[in-house]
Amino acid sequence: MGVVTERHVLLRIAPELMMFLPASRRTSTQRIALDGSSTLGHHVESAGVPLTEVGPMTVGDRGVPPSYQPRPGDVVEVRAVPRPQPLPEEPRFLLDVHLGTLARRLRLLGIDAAYHNDMDDPSLVVQANEERRVLLTQDRGLLRRRALWLGAYVRGSRAPDQLRDLLERFSPPLRPWTRCTACNGELSTVAKRDVEPMLRAGTRRSYDAYGQCRVCGQVYWHGAHSGDLEEIVRSARQWAAG
């Protein structure tokens, strides 16, 4: 354990945040040298933890913000963001280029999830800010952009793990089968006769209930893959229920 001196502070990092620390320095207590000008938020991010993942920070029994100027001898408790994380409004998301599968699963659940496979980092920040979307990514550098209003690191390498992490963190309302998985538009119920020209003969014979995207016109029905999709929805409802 580090020793506090007149030129240092200690950061006590919550277990949930240890994954962000470099492997060579992955200990719960981080001894930080003061430079006389850097904020607490700067020191936490320099240790490796994006501020988007940080919850309450305290010195003794006093809460301190990221803008706090650490004082020699401070011992700072750095906690993880609470779960579920409160947001000012119903969650809306923007996912970076590497999270396409997660975006489609969120849309399947009726969650507003914007996604583009050709958007660079500055453009992602602009859209997230303009549309008040939480930017989801596994790029820590992107989360550290000062202009970004709100972002979140997505944990897990597999889509099911990522989805569970997202649902546990933000607890968004689930409205399965109400969004287009291709473009994120909302679906409307349509009469079979109105979409019949767009259907193959086998589909027309086998199904009678249809939905259509209000944005791109994509037609949906419970088809051959509905069993796999139903399992995603079932698991999501189970995770959301805690």
Side-chain angles (χ1 to χ4, degrees):
M1 178 174 176
V3 176
V4 185
T5 74
E6 66 276 9
R7 295 184 302 276
H8 293 81
V9 299
L10 292 184
L11 304 181
R12 289 181 175 164
I13 308 295
E16 303 94 320
L17 301 176
M18 294 284 287
M19 60 173 288
F20 295 109
L21 302 178
S24 60
R25 295 191 287 109
R26 196 162 291 166
T27 60
S28 60
T29 302
Q30 300 287 309
R31 184 171 179 264
I32 305 296
L34 294 179
D35 59 14
S37 61
S38 295
T39 64
L40 175 58
H42 173 82
H43 288 303
V44 170
E45 286 199 320
S46 294
V49 183
L51 286 181
T52 58
E53 310 311 299
V54 173
M57 295 189 288
T58 57
V59 176
D61 59 358
R62 177 168 57 100
V64 291
S67 59
Y68 173 72
Q69 289 280 344
R71 300 172 182 173
D74 278 349
V75 178
V76 184
E77 300 287 342
V78 182
R79 298 176 177 85
V81 69
R83 292 189 174 216
Q85 180 178 351
L87 294 176
E89 53 206 38
E90 184 171 311
R92 304 171 71 226
F93 301 104
L94 173 62
L95 293 83
D96 78 3
V97 65
H98 303 292
L99 297 175
T101 301
L102 176 60
R104 289 188 290 274
R105 293 191 179 205
L106 290 174
R107 293 169 178 176
L108 172 66
L109 299 173
I111 298 169
D112 190 342
Y115 170 78
H116 314 275
N117 62 8
D118 59 353
M119 186 173 281
D120 61 18
D121 289 356
S123 299
L124 285 169
V125 172
V126 169
Q127 182 177 353
N129 293 348
E130 289 181 347
E131 300 178 8
R132 304 300 282 177
R133 294 179 179 274
V134 181
L135 179 56
L136 304 180
T137 182
Q138 293 183 326
D139 182 343
R140 302 178 200 183
L142 181 53
L143 292 176
R144 293 182 63 174
R145 287 182 174 254
R146 297 295 179 217
L148 178 63
W149 87 284
L150 186 58
Y153 184 88
V154 178
R155 299 175 184 234
S157 58
R158 299 170 56 249
D161 299 328
Q162 294 170 353
L163 179 60
R164 182 169 187 171
D165 177 64
L166 192 284
L167 296 180
E168 290 177 348
R169 176 161 178 173
F170 292 104
S171 192
L174 305 185
R175 304 182 185 93
W177 318 106
T178 61
R179 282 192 179 272
C180 176
T181 56
C183 81
N184 196 44
E186 293 182 297
L187 303 184
S188 296
T189 300
V190 291
K192 182 176 182 178
R193 64 178 178 275
D194 293 334
V195 295
E196 213 159 7
M198 304 171 65
L199 306 175
R200 294 182 178 179
T203 302
R204 288 197 299 269
R205 288 194 302 268
S206 303
Y207 304 101
D208 294 314
Y210 295 90
Q212 187 172 28
C213 178
R214 299 176 187 174
V215 177
C216 73
Q218 177 81 30
V219 177
Y220 289 85
W221 63 92
H222 284 287
H225 300 292
S226 62
D228 294 336
L229 301 181
E230 289 282 6
E231 176 58 26
I232 293 173
V233 172
R234 186 198 66 78
S235 296
R237 282 175 165 154
Q238 193 172 53
W239 296 330

